Amino acid sequence: MKTNMNQTNTLTKLTEIKGNSLFQVLEFDELRGGKDVKTAFMLSFMRQAGIKLRQLRIVLSSSGAYIESGRLSFMRGPIEVSSNTGGLFSFSKQLITSKITGENLVRPLFKGTGELLLEPSFGHIALLELENESVIIDDTLFFAAEQQVEMSTTTVKTVSGALLGNEGFFQTKLSGTGIVALELPVPEQEIFKYKLVNDILKVDGNFAILRTGTIEFSVEKTTRSLMGSALSGEGFMNVFKGTGEVWLMPTKSVYDELLRTMDNPLMRPHAEHVAEGKDGKDGKA
């Protein structure tokens, strides 16, 4: 078949980790699909801001991988898909847990030989390689994992941590040996990775997104008394104790504030002018 489409895909491989399967993070060098002025302007703005589209590629070699429900873009090769609910009893247990935690009930399992391409995203994809260890993550971060990685729900052990830490009673736990892919809301260079050795880390806010299973989590008042905490304006702090690693994303609150500002009705007319390539003053381009 003849065609004038002779250009190859312009993707750059950012990183990869090979286990039983190969996980690769790909990045589109540039999006050039603008077919109207508004889209072209937004693409130009994204280029100036350094915003790029990324995609996770998983190469299976007689192996398997779980992916977040609804995130598959396409796949190639003899690959079988199963829900892996594990029977009626296991399904009932997962259903109850799903209702309590709000997590997806089923994360499909893909087994065979071939490749999986997950949906492109402007998120930031981090690859982890677990070595007979466990990590506890924010529920929204899970993207994919090798089949041998065990996924479970863990409870926050202290009442203070569950009620006051904004973490809820349940969190996602990934255990074993294998590769895990997480989709982060901020770039890697804005993640603080603290390694604790029989130490204490106190965080004023809900921006700890990952901790190793050896770290204990609780909530403490910033001062000795409840009244003192209220008067200090700080209230309670999330406390991480032990030996292991904790990931923090302090810049997330800045992005959230920017979004709230753009959603402000007073800002919408100006934002619409910017999106249309206008100067926002006289309505002319």
Side-chain angles (χ1 to χ4, degrees):
M1 180 174 65
K2 294 182 178 180
T3 177
N4 66 334
M5 299 178 63
N6 297 318
Q7 294 187 356
T8 57
N9 300 111
T10 57
L11 280 84
T12 299
K13 183 178 69 177
L14 296 181
T15 186
E16 69 177 22
I17 297 182
K18 183 173 176 57
N20 292 345
S21 304
L22 175 66
F23 280 55
Q24 295 179 328
V25 180
L26 309 177
E27 184 177 79
F28 289 82
D29 296 336
E30 186 176 356
L31 297 180
R32 302 180 180 179
K35 56 183 181 180
D36 55 70
V37 174
K38 185 175 181 179
T39 305
F41 178 82
M42 292 303 297
L43 291 176
S44 176
F45 177 80
M46 289 167 57
R47 284 193 293 271
Q48 293 178 28
I51 301 174
K52 292 189 176 183
L53 194 65
R54 300 170 192 88
Q55 192 165 25
L56 179 64
R57 178 176 183 250
I58 303 174
V59 181
L60 302 178
S61 300
S62 298
S63 55
Y66 292 98
I67 69 170
E68 182 67 7
S69 180
R71 298 304 298 271
L72 178 69
S73 181
F74 61 92
M75 62 183 182
R76 177 187 63 84
I79 299 174
E80 296 182 354
V81 186
S82 64
S83 60
N84 199 42
T85 54
L88 181 60
F89 176 77
S90 179
F91 177 79
S92 300
K93 182 179 178 181
Q94 291 181 48
L95 179 61
I96 294 172
T97 303
S98 174
K99 293 295 185 181
I100 295 174
T101 63
E103 295 180 17
N104 285 330
L105 174 61
V106 177
R107 288 186 171 113
L109 173 63
F110 296 78
K111 295 178 63 176
T113 297
E115 62 177 344
L116 308 172
L117 274 294
L118 276 63
E119 286 185 342
S121 167
F122 290 111
H124 305 272
I125 303 171
L127 300 182
L128 313 178
E129 188 170 15
L130 302 182
E131 297 178 342
N132 193 27
E133 57 189 327
S134 63
V135 293
I136 298 171
I137 64 171
D138 187 276
D139 297 338
T140 61
L141 300 185
F142 180 83
F143 203 24
E146 287 192 284
Q147 180 184 1
Q148 64 269 25
V149 175
E150 180 182 348
M151 292 181 288
S152 61
T153 300
T154 183
T155 57
V156 177
K157 295 182 179 180
T158 64
V159 176
S160 63
L163 297 178
L164 304 173
N166 294 320
E167 300 288 344
F169 281 99
F170 300 91
Q171 295 176 303
T172 299
K173 185 176 183 179
L174 305 170
S175 308
T177 297
I179 302 170
V180 174
L182 306 179
E183 188 176 30
L184 307 178
V186 301
E188 180 183 357
Q189 58 266 35
E190 296 177 16
I191 299 290
F192 286 71
K193 303 173 185 176
Y194 278 98
K195 292 185 178 180
L196 306 181
V197 179
N198 194 25
D199 204 351
I200 300 175
L201 176 66
K202 297 185 178 182
V203 179
D204 183 18
N206 185 30
F207 53 86
I209 57 174
L210 177 150
R211 69 181 187 273
T212 53
T214 53
I215 296 290
E216 295 182 2
F217 169 71
S218 63
V219 173
E220 295 180 1
K221 298 188 295 291
T222 55
T223 60
R224 293 180 181 272
S225 68
L226 182 62
M227 181 62 69
S229 295
L231 294 176
S232 70
E234 296 296 332
F236 299 89
M237 300 189 77
N238 293 340
V239 180
F240 302 88
K241 297 180 181 179
T243 298
E245 193 166 339
V246 180
W247 287 15
L248 306 178
M249 52 173 189
T251 59
K252 178 63 164 55
S253 61
V254 177
Y255 296 117
D256 291 341
E257 183 60 32
L258 288 173
L259 287 175
R260 284 192 292 268
T261 301
M262 294 303 295
D263 286 339
N264 188 318
L266 297 177
M267 288 292 295
R268 285 175 186 168
H270 177 69
E272 291 172 357
H273 279 293
V274 171
E276 294 171 1
K278 301 175 181 179
D279 61 10
K281 296 179 180 180
D282 56 9
K284 296 180 180 179

